[in-house]
């Protein structure tokens, strides 16, 4: 059953990030990039819902929660910038704290993007295997235990599949929409604009951030090592959900992912660049609040407990338009893609 | 519960495709590409299961079912080849027939890769919007109806989640492992080495091929157009399952995907290259059986009704190793990645 039909709201030119996201989602796969003419009788599309959302349904992303990574210009001299939003509490905060420390120490300046594996990850940092040659870490860096890959589930607001679920620490939740193949005894959903999963466990209900396209995680050695946050990767392929609860997700790329995803794939062991000339120098990585005020990028996300987000998820789960004739009647948590947009000029 | 434990089988150097596939799946996400030492007590890994599979569990892919696409060499003079396996019957055969016609006519020679959208698709063909300027199609090209996006479900052998399901046209199947979010009233699985979905519908049980990373589909205009097969795309991001049943899947890239996925993203409308210099010339596209015998690539896939494939899916759903401490207990159909390997020299 469709719901929430409404005419497409005009006006309000969406910002670039959202346009890219929605263009990618609703695109005509034709040689001719046609513009579908929406008839009044058609259900709202994800893009029309976002365009009609209310200003108070959007939440600002604080500059203190953004990492701005400047790579060396490409061969044509074009700027390459990647902007990463850091994971909010309660998730992965030990690693996120290390990452803030490393950024404030300008630790990544002069390191490189050194590994690219197709349909898997692009990785950056020091990349030195030999501990004697490795770049020393700031003394404040802490070791984080494996138990922090998940956190206890408190009564937050989650949403998935048309339902806004509050007070969902109630064990009765378990049975709701259990259609995430990776948490058969749990649920996938959203909190504070992030895709997460949750499950009932014998030691209490736990929740954790999930690996989607663009997710940023902490590379590590074998268990029980959990990594420091100095070596990071971004997912550039199908969501590798098998990594959930096995490695820390600390953020997501919200702008400039193609500067990581379109790099040549590495041909060395495990996709490391064997040709040093392929390594991409990292000029600087900064917390956005450490940049001059005029240079601080501003973003906001569509609140995942808003009605517009609920409508957006529903519309993405049931695409029906001049292009989509057969709605899927479902979606996976990584394909939802929480709307994020730039505020002000770039 | 784990099953099928066995010591890692030594010997049998896997071929390149499979190595890439398995390396990507089981990779250590560390600066140091460590080699996990498997203890006898550890469960078999996807790679150890594939290595221990029997020769008769592999099926040859006929050269007549392979498209070999040669792109212009890159700026360093390196060869760029993409090999696509065409979808077998009963799926999408109208479009596949057109594609064979186009390949035999050498229709793609001199066309280009003209569109790349991050986390979405890379597209190639003529790319001309104006019908008056478009490259003429061979007269044998047929129009395929939308009803052919799915086909009636016959009693084929499907497999998913540890279970080999025969005679699965039995409606009782519907309830089995219904953990594919895109077919709430159906099932995802594998047939003849391909990921597919199936559902009970009022007009009979239907099955269809699904969109995963590397899937090749037929670009089209708005419904009721279904495309001819002349304009093709390959998926280079998270599985766009919303396209299932809305557009024809006609094959998958089995070698050389990075020649499509690592191209610069298009900045024109809908990701089309606005800079003509970015278009990648297509030198030739041939059915492999039309190449000289010595140049015909040979591949085989792990039969999806074999015990080794069942073990492989189970192991990938429950990764447990020196790296993976917390098994997911599930997997989505696109993350399974049917093992495919080269036979003989490249």
């Amino acid at each position: 059953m469709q719901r929430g039909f409404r005419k497409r709201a005009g006006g309000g030119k969406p910002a670039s990030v959202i346009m890219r996201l929605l263009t990618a989602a609703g695109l005509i796969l034709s040689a001719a990039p046609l513009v579908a003419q929406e008839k009044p009788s058609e259900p709202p599309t994800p893009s029309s819902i976002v365009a009609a959302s209310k200003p108070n349904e959007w939440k600002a992303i604080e500059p203190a929660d953004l990492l701005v990574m400047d790579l060396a210009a490409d061969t044509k001299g074009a700027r390459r910038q990647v902007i990463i939003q850091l994971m909010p509490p309660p998730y992965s905060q030990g690693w996120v704290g290390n990452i803030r420390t490393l950024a404030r120490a300008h630790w990544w300046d002069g390191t490189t993007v050194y590994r690219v594996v197709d349909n898997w990850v692009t990785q950056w940092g020091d990349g030195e295997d030999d501990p004697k040659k490795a770049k020393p870490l700031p003394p404040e860096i802490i070791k984080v235990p494996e138990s922090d890959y998940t956190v206890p589930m408190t009564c937050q607001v989650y949403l998935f599949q048309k339902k806004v679920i509050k007070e969902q620490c109630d064990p009765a939740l378990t049975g709701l929409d259990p259609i995430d193949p990776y948490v058969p005894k749990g649920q996938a959903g959203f909190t504070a604009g992030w895709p997460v999963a949750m499950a009932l466990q014998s030691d209490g209900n736990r929740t954790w951030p999930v690996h989607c396209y663009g997710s940023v995680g902490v590379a590590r050695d074998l268990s029980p090592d959990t990594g420091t946050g100095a070596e990071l990767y971004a997912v550039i392929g199908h969501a590798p959900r098998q990594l959930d609860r096995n490695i820390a997700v600390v953020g997501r790329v919200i702008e400039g992912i193609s500067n990581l995803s379109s790099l040549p794939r590495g041909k060395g062991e495990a996709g490391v660049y064997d040709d040093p000339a392929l390594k991409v120098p990292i000029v600087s990585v900064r917390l956005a609040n450490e940049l001059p005020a005029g240079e601080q990028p501003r973003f906001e996300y569509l609140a995942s407990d808003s009605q517009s987000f609920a409508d957006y998820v529903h519309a993405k789960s049931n695409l029906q338009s001049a292009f989509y004739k057969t709605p899927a009647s479902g979606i996976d948590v990584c394909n939802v893609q929480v709307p994020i947009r730039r505020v002000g000029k770039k």
Side-chain angles (χ1 to χ4, degrees), chain A:
Chain A
M1 198 186 78
Q2 297 293 336
R3 64 173 197 152
F5 288 21
R6 66 175 81 116
K7 285 187 70 173
R8 184 184 183 117
K13 192 181 171 195
S16 63
V17 175
I18 249 225
M19 273 304 289
R20 199 169 59 78
L21 203 153
L22 297 177
T23 304
L27 221 44
I28 304 291
L29 279 166
S30 157
L34 297 177
V35 176
Q37 293 197 335
E38 216 175 312
K39 294 170 195 162
S41 62
E42 281 188 351
T45 63
S47 55
S48 73
I49 290 165
V50 170
S53 62
K54 295 171 189 155
N56 66 5
E57 293 183 305
W58 293 79
K59 304 287 182 191
I61 300 174
E62 295 301 323
D65 295 329
L66 293 176
L67 274 187
V68 179
M69 176 160 71
D70 279 301
L71 306 176
D74 70 14
T75 52
K76 291 174 183 169
R79 188 182 186 191
R80 287 189 283 187
Q81 191 172 73
V82 178
I83 300 183
I84 295 163
Q85 181 189 8
L86 295 172
M87 183 71 58
Y91 300 106
S92 305
Q93 291 301 295
W95 296 278
V96 169
N98 282 347
I99 288 167
R100 291 182 195 279
T101 297
L102 290 158
R104 284 194 204 101
H106 300 181
W107 187 85
W108 282 290
D109 299 13
T111 64
T112 65
V113 178
Y114 57 81
R115 177 182 179 221
V116 186
V117 182
D118 198 75
N119 194 17
W120 190 241
V121 301
T122 292
Q123 188 169 324
W124 63 92
D126 182 36
E128 175 55 58
D129 293 346
D130 184 346
K132 290 176 189 167
K133 295 180 186 168
K135 187 169 184 172
L137 295 170
E140 305 92 318
I141 295 297
I142 62 168
K143 282 195 178 184
V144 189
E146 287 180 319
S147 53
D148 284 9
Y149 289 143
T150 66
V151 297
M153 204 161 71
T154 52
C155 297
Q156 300 166 58
V157 175
Y158 288 91
L159 179 144
F160 202 55
Q161 296 293 325
K162 299 177 278 179
K163 299 182 188 76
V164 175
I165 302 154
K166 293 180 196 262
E167 298 279 302
Q168 70 94 32
C169 42
D170 180 347
L173 171 76
T174 325
L176 266 173
D177 302 307
I179 52 174
D180 186 300
Y182 293 89
V183 276
K185 292 180 182 175
Q187 168 98 17
F190 297 88
T191 183
W194 291 81
V196 297
M198 55 202 96
L200 293 185
Q201 295 181 192
S202 54
D203 56 345
N205 302 351
R206 309 282 293 183
T207 172
W208 60 91
V210 300
H211 279 82
C212 297
Y213 190 92
S215 292
V216 174
V218 174
R220 62 167 171 84
D221 284 336
L222 293 181
S223 169
D225 181 53
T226 65
T228 60
E231 311 298 316
L232 294 173
Y233 63 88
V235 172
I236 60 161
H238 187 71
R241 299 282 309 278
Q242 67 273 29
L243 294 172
D244 297 354
R245 293 185 283 178
N246 282 294
I247 200 161
V249 180
V250 290
R252 60 182 164 196
V253 176
I254 61 171
E255 193 173 276
I257 182 74
S258 64
N259 291 319
L260 301 174
S261 60
S262 66
L263 294 173
R265 280 43 181 156
K267 291 179 179 168
E269 193 175 357
V272 169
Y273 285 137
D274 48 7
D275 176 359
L278 289 175
K279 289 186 182 178
V280 181
I282 296 173
V283 176
S284 66
V285 176
R286 297 288 179 275
L287 287 163
N289 63 334
E290 297 198 285
L291 297 174
E295 294 177 24
Q296 295 180 10
R298 294 279 180 174
F299 290 86
E300 55 188 17
Y301 66 92
L302 185 59
S304 51
D305 57 353
S306 68
Q307 188 57 48
S308 287
F309 185 75
D311 293 345
Y312 171 84
V313 173
H314 182 71
K316 286 203 83 168
S317 305
N318 299 277
L319 292 173
Q320 206 160 14
S321 67
F323 183 81
Y324 290 98
K325 302 304 283 186
T326 305
S329 308
I331 194 166
D332 71 86
V333 68
C334 283
N335 210 357
V336 169
Q337 299 172 305
V338 176
I340 297 173
R341 65 186 182 192
R342 268 239 186 209
V343 182
K345 287 187 182 173
K346 188 176 175 180

